[in-house]
Amino acid sequence: MMTPTNDFNHVLPPRPDLGVGVGLRSNHYGAILSQRPAIPWFEVISENFMTLRNTDPESRGLPGGRPREMLDLIRKDYPIMLHGVSLNIGSTDPLRKDYLSKLKVLAEETQPLWVSDHLCWTGVEGENLHDLLPIPYTEEALAHVVERVKQVQDILGRRILLENVSSYVSYKHSEMPEWEFVAELARRADCGILLDVNNVYVSATNHGFDPKKYLEGIPVDRVRQMHLAGYSEQDTGFLIDTHDHPVTSPVWDLYRESVRRFGAVPALIEWDDKIPPFEVLEQEAKKAEAIREEVLGTKVA
Amino acid sequence: MRWVVTEPRGIQEALSSPWTLDPALANRYIEPTRQLDVIEEAAPLSTHDRLDVYANAYFYRLLESLGADFVTVHRVVGEEKFHDVVAHFLMRYPSNSPNIGDLGEAFPGFIKDYPLLQQFPFLHELAALERAIMECLFTHHLPALDVSSFQTKSEEEWAAARFVLDPTVRLMSVRWPVDTLWKNREQTQPLEFPDAPDLTPRHLLLYRDDNWVNVSAMDVLPWTALLMLQSGMPLGAVCEALSKQWSERSEPLPVMEWFSTWVAKGLVRNIQ
């Protein structure tokens, strides 16, 4: 078991607290552009704004057609963050230079406050699973991922955030709890943490650990963003991170704990399936804002 | 773990009967089952059921993605057949791109020879059209044509002029009226399937305007002119080639009329 350390350097840039944003989904383009809702920022899935292979065979990072045009319109009025799902940082496959080239161009052109992805593997031997699979929490895996995060940050020319994933399996070979792995990774790679509060709760339930202990293991000064979403519960009590429900009561409670520990950090409402009208997301964002105000005693300007 | 999660027929098939698979795919399934011993066994679910969460998510995510990219194909073949064709497609063409939108690249070619779909002989053309629409949607525009750039051109300069078409422009030739089928894809009443191909090929123009992708059937001559211009032929050579086909008609080749329409639609982005 590794000894937690608080010896963090401070190269990771600070960022202003933007309040509670919402994940930008194509169903809502019309509502956002016509009504300009009072949402402080949007997060977008990076891959949705990259060109297809056929339309950009040399991976030059051309603007990705109609979706990109919509993004450019929306980002005139709102700050954005890029959130990827295919970095594949935990895989043993080489990092994909074609993907990183496109991501770099997208980041340079859209100027997000943060570029983030997930601490997981999404493919191996050239195949992409389009899912977020957990990695074993070993020293060997840690060294491997640290090296890859450094490479990504060098290529992109910026610090990235990595998000803890919801998981349904864990490995016998793991040598430390997930939170220690996350904390040590952030320290050694000098990257930030995107703390997904819902994922902490889902994994805690599925693997039987205390979610508050997880929060206590995450270094305060590495967390730059939080995520909130809804899960589905099976008859067995097992939880699946489906992003198709409102945020649940236990996750709101854990978010309250998170705000107490990590302070004024931008948070995001994610909703990816059975997507409701935009007003429903706004209401969820207001609930999160109310918890922030209750805990911090201040409102984001 | 990858081969278990990506078996489109389900995790049980992957774990218990890998030898029943198509021998041509054997190299995808060589990992011994005992390697699953690395997974921690813990209540309330077995290792098998825990992995099944990923296996289900893998298949249904890709099924949903292909269903969204090939809406009309999906509607034509129905839920059950679409499920089957996607399962077989994924065994042959597992995703190899970080962008899930690339997954459908090989789909039109795959279904052309797929035995269960022989009752829909128009299907591969429909799939090719839906794929082209998606590529059109994800293609960037070039800057708009500067009208002043061609107002002072001499006759000789026009003859030597090469048109740069917008990258969103796609020109397709099909035997079946799949564009009509695609346009009716959201109608509530059942779709009417064509029972025979057209006697002559249909010439389709696809391009993107400020809103969405436009699909329309064109006369063969302006379609051929656009195709030649897209390939880089100078305007004079295009007119000469087309005049031979047009010579039976009494009126002159309406190139200026075509040109005005193309400019108005934003198909022409530069004249060099």
Side-chain angles (χ1 to χ4, degrees):
Chain A
M1 192 77 71
M2 186 178 301
T3 308
T5 170
N6 289 316
D7 181 27
F8 299 111
N9 62 45
H10 294 274
V11 181
L12 186 70
R15 280 288 183 266
D17 174 28
L18 295 180
V20 182
V22 166
L24 181 66
R25 302 295 176 259
S26 57
N27 316 41
H28 297 140
Y29 288 164
I32 293 165
L33 289 171
S34 62
Q35 296 161 23
R36 306 282 165 181
I39 290 290
W41 59 280
F42 287 103
E43 184 183 83
V44 304
I45 303 296
S46 311
E47 290 79 4
N48 291 351
F49 300 91
M50 295 177 179
T51 44
L52 300 176
R53 189 161 44 199
N54 264 1
T55 59
D56 188 9
E58 292 166 19
S59 296
R60 289 170 290 177
L62 296 170
R66 181 66 178 159
R68 176 60 191 280
E69 289 167 9
M70 299 308 289
L71 176 60
D72 287 344
L73 285 174
I74 288 168
R75 73 183 188 86
K76 281 180 185 169
D77 295 326
Y78 299 94
I80 63 155
M81 312 232 195
L82 291 181
H83 187 51
V85 292
S86 293
L87 183 59
N88 204 13
I89 199 75
S91 177
T92 51
D93 276 5
L95 289 165
R96 288 189 64 143
K97 298 289 164 53
D98 56 344
Y99 172 79
L100 287 169
S101 296
K102 287 186 177 187
L103 182 60
K104 183 179 171 72
V105 172
L106 182 65
E108 284 171 351
E109 291 184 354
T110 58
Q111 293 294 308
L113 284 173
W114 287 108
V115 174
S116 62
D117 206 294
H118 300 82
L119 176 56
C120 67
W121 61 282
T122 58
V124 72
E125 295 174 354
E127 286 186 23
N128 200 306
L129 307 187
H130 303 284
D131 203 348
L132 312 170
L133 292 100
I135 55 180
Y137 302 123
T138 63
E139 269 296 340
E140 186 185 6
L142 183 57
H144 175 69
V145 178
V146 164
E147 187 52 39
R148 286 161 71 91
V149 172
K150 286 179 177 174
Q151 283 180 48
V152 169
Q153 292 184 149
D154 284 347
I155 291 169
L156 297 182
R158 62 193 304 149
R159 299 271 174 253
I160 63 169
L161 310 183
L162 283 177
E163 175 186 338
N164 57 299
V165 296
S166 284
S167 62
Y168 315 113
V169 297
S170 57
Y171 304 100
K172 290 177 182 169
H173 297 73
S174 287
E175 297 160 359
M176 64 190 94
E178 182 179 319
W179 54 87
E180 280 189 26
F181 190 95
V182 172
E184 194 59 17
L185 169 66
R187 186 186 72 80
R188 291 194 204 173
D190 193 20
C191 67
I193 295 169
L194 194 171
L195 181 71
D196 190 311
V197 179
N198 179 62
N199 289 350
V200 171
Y201 185 77
V202 167
S203 294
T205 305
N206 292 344
H207 302 304
F209 62 77
D210 179 358
K212 289 182 184 169
K213 197 170 178 188
Y214 192 113
L215 298 186
E216 287 163 11
I218 297 296
V220 171
D221 59 355
R222 288 281 163 186
V223 176
R224 289 291 183 277
Q225 196 183 324
M226 292 189 213
H227 274 179
L228 293 159
Y231 56 74
S232 296
E233 184 167 0
Q234 295 186 336
D235 294 340
T236 55
F238 202 75
L239 304 184
I240 311 290
D241 181 32
T242 46
H243 291 196
D244 62 353
H245 286 75
V247 178
T248 60
S249 177
V251 172
W252 283 128
D253 290 343
L254 198 59
Y255 177 58
R256 190 173 280 105
E257 290 294 324
S258 302
V259 176
R260 266 189 208 115
R261 174 164 172 77
F262 301 105
V265 173
L268 178 93
I269 303 295
E270 287 185 298
W271 205 313
D272 294 304
D273 202 6
K274 299 175 193 163
I275 298 175
F278 191 75
E279 294 72 31
V280 176
L281 273 73
E282 283 184 293
Q283 286 161 16
E284 290 283 281
K286 280 178 185 166
K287 282 187 201 171
E289 283 287 6
I291 289 174
R292 285 164 48 97
E293 284 174 42
E294 169 198 319
V295 175
L296 301 172
T298 54
K299 197 170 183 174
V300 176
Chain B
M1 194 162 132
R2 184 228 343 141
W3 65 276
V4 175
V5 170
T6 60
E7 167 50 64
R9 291 171 302 176
I11 190 170
Q12 193 59 44
E13 183 74 19
L15 287 173
S16 62
S17 314
W19 52 86
T20 64
L21 289 162
D22 181 345
L25 304 172
N27 64 340
R28 279 179 48 75
Y29 300 94
I30 54 173
E31 195 175 355
T33 304
R34 63 184 160 75
Q35 286 198 9
L36 294 182
D37 290 348
V38 299
I39 308 294
E40 193 87 61
E41 187 83 41
L45 293 189
S46 64
T47 297
H48 172 290
D49 289 343
R50 284 172 180 265
L51 279 170
D52 204 25
V53 174
Y54 291 106
N56 266 321
Y58 168 80
F59 179 72
Y60 285 101
R61 181 173 292 114
L62 299 188
L63 177 71
E64 186 182 346
S65 175
L66 286 169
D69 294 349
F70 297 93
V71 170
T72 324
V73 169
H74 187 181
R75 179 157 181 200
V76 166
V77 303
E79 204 64 55
E80 200 174 323
K81 273 204 173 81
F82 193 74
H83 182 286
D84 290 348
V85 70
V86 168
H88 286 103
F89 173 70
L90 291 177
M91 283 196 280
R92 288 279 178 198
Y93 296 96
S95 177
N96 59 10
S97 168
N99 190 339
I100 201 168
D102 287 328
L103 181 63
E105 204 175 30
F107 195 61
F110 176 79
I111 65 175
K112 188 175 183 181
D113 302 319
Y114 189 69
L116 293 176
L117 300 178
Q118 296 305 310
Q119 68 186 99
F120 309 110
F122 55 87
L123 206 63
H124 71 279
E125 285 192 347
L126 178 62
L129 173 63
E130 293 203 293
R131 180 65 193 174
I133 289 167
M134 184 165 165
E135 290 181 358
C136 184
L137 187 68
F138 275 86
T139 302
H140 71 294
H141 282 305
L142 283 177
L145 176 67
D146 176 6
V147 179
S148 66
S149 68
F150 61 84
Q151 283 174 333
T152 56
K153 280 192 192 300
S154 66
E155 201 167 312
E156 292 75 27
E157 285 172 326
W158 272 113
R162 294 174 197 272
F163 287 17
V164 177
L165 300 188
D166 192 63
T168 69
V169 172
R170 276 155 180 71
L171 297 156
M172 295 179 70
S173 175
V174 293
R175 300 289 306 189
W176 298 83
V178 289
D179 51 313
T180 307
L181 203 53
W182 177 76
K183 283 175 182 166
N184 293 336
R185 68 195 181 282
E186 289 177 351
Q187 72 180 25
T188 48
Q189 61 265 44
L191 290 175
E192 278 185 34
F193 301 155
D195 44 22
D198 287 359
L199 293 175
T200 54
R202 290 172 71 80
H203 298 94
L204 304 182
L205 165 66
L206 285 68
Y207 69 100
R208 189 160 64 79
D209 61 18
D210 288 341
N211 293 311
W212 206 250
V213 178
N214 291 280
V215 178
S216 55
M218 290 177 77
D219 287 341
V220 62
L221 280 184
W223 183 88
T224 307
L226 274 176
L227 194 66
M228 289 172 167
L229 290 166
Q230 194 178 44
S231 74
M233 272 176 76
L235 182 60
V238 171
C239 290
E240 195 180 325
L242 295 182
S243 293
K244 291 171 190 163
Q245 297 176 50
W246 188 263
S247 58
E248 295 165 9
R249 309 191 197 187
S250 54
E251 68 270 31
L253 197 66
V255 176
M256 286 314 294
E257 193 181 310
W258 297 345
F259 178 67
S260 301
T261 306
W262 298 337
V263 170
K265 287 180 173 175
L267 309 187
V268 181
R269 294 292 167 148
N270 201 356
I271 299 172
Q272 296 168 337

